[in-house]
Structure formats: C-alpha cells, structure tokens
Amino acid sequence: MNVVPEGYHTVTPWIITRGRTAELIDFITEVFDATELGRVGEAPAIGHAEVRIGDSVVMLFDAPVWPETPAFLRLYVADDAETLKRVKKLGSRVVTEPTELFWGDRVSRFADPFGNLWWIHQRVAEPTADELTARMQDEQFVKAMEYVQSADFTPTR
C-alpha cells in the first residue's frame, strides 16, 4: 500500500478564504489551466475543494471565522510572460517582474485578488556547477537577486 494516494504528493498546500473559494477556483483554473477535481458545498461555504495544477493538487475551502492568512505558492510554468498576462487581466498585482537568477530560473511574483502571493518560475538555463559559482558572483545576477529580495511582497486584501 502506498503511503501517498495516487495523484498526490507528499506535501499538498491548502488555500483558505472567507467565502471566496469558488472565485479562487475560477481564477486558478483560468491562470494555470488547472483542473477542478471536485468540491463539497456551494459558495460561499465550500467545505472542501481540490484543483490540479500541472502534476500537483491544491486543496481549498471557505472558513468564514478564521483569520485571513495568505498562501505563498511557488509554481513552475512553461511561459511566464503568458501567465503574467493572464493574471494582470484578472486583477492581480505584479510584485516582481520576470528576473533571471543565478541558478537558471526566471522568477516573477504576483499578488492575486484574494491576498495570496505566487512565485512563478520558468527554467531558462541549466548552469553547470562551475557556471553556478561564477554566476553567483556575476554583477548582473547579484543585482537581480537584490531586486527580487527588495521587492515589497506583502499581499494586500
């Protein structure tokens, strides 16, 4: 018997809203071409829902009396520019513009209309160990990391 059910991973994130889970499912489906796997209950009181983004499941539910706590999620995408185009159209705020970092990912971040922060990664290079060492000291990548780390990433609701 498998410890982890088929189609799931060892870690499965939760995103919890106050009565906006149905809207968030629509957002995730449109932005990430996610598949809704199911939901229990109706808006604004969804007790449990699941979406598959790529090969991962994200669980969601409404908790009207819980404190608002943003989710912080990191995703790899095939086309970061297209993803950011969709999120902007849906009312998200780009927090970090696409920036190539020393390990070979181009990274951007956006705050969605629900108060969550998403890191978007697109793999653009496969540096060797020697290249990684050099890139870590390269002024271009040092400045890129300073930019990413200095950005105001606090989501607002």
Side-chain angles (χ1 to χ4, degrees), residues 4-63:
V4 179
E6 186 175 334
Y8 292 81
H9 292 115
T10 304
V11 176
T12 302
W14 283 99
I15 305 178
I16 303 161
T17 70
R18 285 184 170 178
R20 297 188 68 197
T21 294
E23 294 173 67
L24 182 55
I25 291 169
D26 291 343
F27 177 88
I28 291 170
T29 300
E30 187 166 343
V31 169
F32 298 112
D33 196 29
T35 302
E36 182 177 345
L37 301 176
R39 64 175 85 181
V40 177
E42 296 296 325
I46 293 175
H48 180 87
E50 297 183 11
V51 296
R52 183 176 305 284
I53 305 172
D55 65 355
S56 299
V57 173
V58 177
M59 295 183 181
L60 310 98
F61 68 90
D62 289 312

Side-chain angles (χ1 to χ4, degrees), residues 112-135:
D112 71 22
F114 309 91
N116 304 300
L117 186 70
W118 302 80
W119 276 256
I120 303 300
H121 288 241
Q122 181 177 338
R123 194 74 176 162
V124 294
E126 293 286 348
T128 64
D130 289 340
E131 290 169 334
L132 274 173
T133 301
R135 287 168 70 120

